[in-house]
Amino acid sequence: MTKRPGRVAIFEQFAADGITHMFGNPGTVEQGLLDAMGQTEMSYVLALQESVAVAMADGYARASQRPGLVQLHTGVGLGNAVGMLYQAKRGGSPLVVIAGDAGVRYDAMDAQMAVDLVAMAEPVTKYATRVTDPDSVLRVLRRAVKIAMTPPRGPVFVALPADVLDAVTEEPALPTVVPSTRVLPEPALVARMASVLSGGRRPLVLMGDGVATSGAQRELATVAQLLGARVYGVNSSEVNIDAADPSYAGNVGHMFGADSARIVGDADRVLIVGTYVFPEVFPSLSNPFSRDARIVHIDLDAYEIAKNHPVEIGVVADPKLTLAALAVELGHQGGEISSPPARPATRAAAPSGPPSVLELFTERLAQQAPNDLILFDEALTAGEPLGRHLPAREPGRFFQTRGGSLGIGIPGALGAKLARPDQPVIAFTGDGGSMYTIQALWTAARHDIDAKFVICNNGRYRLLDHNIDQYWREQGIEPHERPGAFDLTKPAIGFTQLAASLGVPGRRVSRLREVDGAVAEMLSHRGPFLIDLVIE
């Protein structure tokens, strides 16, 4: 067997697993492995702050359906990355995160930057460990890739002390085996599921990103049509059903449990697929489903089934295979393709009167953009025109923020573009959200990543305005001036100037007559480009 330092061997392991990009920010204790990387084919994508590195890897993993590799600088770097790791965990992104420390031999010294890295990482990862044996480095990295990629997917953390990586190892680099989870329930259980779900007068389907991970979009649509059910997204930030499908009714809320309860409360048959229920900040503590509701939950995450609310049947199985079998069984039991019952529209209709700058911009973008456009949407309160003009229809071409962490939009789009270099990528984000990771523009310029960025600039944390309005109503408080902390105009942020200082050209758009030229310039520009879209 070949003897070489662990810092060299790890890149053999990454190559064996087809990992070509490392997103990171360097530090002294990682200098050995970064020096060794210079002799490999690995592409190092430099971020100016660790949260940017994690968010880029997240976008890369989502767009490629491959592990995203992140390098952090010991405890201080991990601390900066925690927020983005949290959203990666809640969203099921398969990240492999490595961080160095000074070395095992220094553990007793409690010296500069000494910290329990595993304890820091555990709450925001699927699995966290530290390697202390030089002959276990590659074994643990394979375990990390396997755990990250096995549904329910999620980020995994591995601490790699410098002295362990400097030691010689003879471990072989072998491709990681990710176990197949394409499991199907036994026929009797499928028949029982069909029986429970059939015959409802008010059927409902609740879906999440487990559908996209499984590739079960077509099967989900078929089952919904056979049941005549409305379909709502819950933890849904990718294309889990064609937005134009007549069964699709929109998304449940993500802030207040009462909003979700109003949607699900009258359903008598409920199918939950690939999601947890419910992802609100202030969830309902009582069961939001009706007493007579018969509920079936299909997911590869056993922890989420019946976690908060009881179900009649819980099935740990692959959504694609299970929904396909369920569709066949529903057909055998007399189910026919039908339209969902008419319901009040949940998606906003196009505004009457002259269009706003945002409305016209998204309309013109939809008219001029290439057919294979990938959207990364972090616009939050400004996202309705996107849904009207650029609906999420094809798997792999639409990604939203998830998990509650702001700042994913710009770096997430960069990661998506690196994963899909032949497709155009545009990120929509807000002025507030963009400032969490605005340094990512420098990375776009440095690596000439040809993604585009639209900042929906309303000068506020507008979501907080909406949320405090609801809080006042619930508390019986008379509306009054909103907190000054929500305002971002004192001083106003010059986004085009800021982008230019980071190497990215841009254009400010505040009038309707400026829209057409701005859309054309953005789409024709080679390289990263930013639009400061003033929407209020």
Side-chain angles (χ1 to χ4, degrees), residues 222-241:
T222 299
V223 168
Q225 292 168 7
L226 286 166
L227 294 174
R230 295 166 290 145
V231 179
Y232 281 89
V234 183
N235 186 39
S236 183
S237 60
E238 299 188 6
V239 178
N240 296 301
I241 194 171

Side-chain angles (χ1 to χ4, degrees), residues 24-25 46-56 72 76-77 79-81 84 436-437 439-440 443:
N25 182 265
L46 176 60
L48 296 181
Q49 209 263 6
E50 289 85 357
S51 61
V52 175
V54 175
M56 284 193 292
L72 302 176
V76 291
N80 286 338
M84 285 297 174
Y436 281 71
T437 53
Q439 311 95 316
T443 299

Side-chain angles (χ1 to χ4, degrees), residues 487-526:
D487 174 68
L488 299 176
T489 64
K490 301 175 183 178
I493 301 168
F495 285 103
T496 55
Q497 298 95 320
L498 182 54
S501 74
L502 296 169
V504 174
R507 181 167 174 174
R508 181 177 171 89
V509 178
S510 60
R511 297 178 177 86
L512 292 173
R513 66 174 180 267
E514 299 167 340
V515 167
D516 285 341
V519 171
E521 183 179 7
M522 178 181 71
L523 293 176
S524 64
H525 181 84
R526 190 205 171 281

Side-chain angles (χ1 to χ4, degrees), residues 197 204-206 264 267-272 289 293-296:
L197 293 170
L204 180 69
V205 174
L206 300 175
V264 308
D268 60 354
R269 301 290 188 276
V270 181
L271 172 62
I272 306 170
F289 298 101
R294 305 190 70 181
I295 303 173
V296 173

Side-chain angles (χ1 to χ4, degrees), residues 39 41 75 80 85 109 123 128 147 183 201 204 257 326 394 445 530:
Q39 309 304 313
E41 297 298 316
N80 286 338
L85 284 174
M109 301 302 293
I147 293 174
V183 294
R201 292 175 297 160
L204 180 69
L326 180 59
E394 295 185 22
L530 179 139

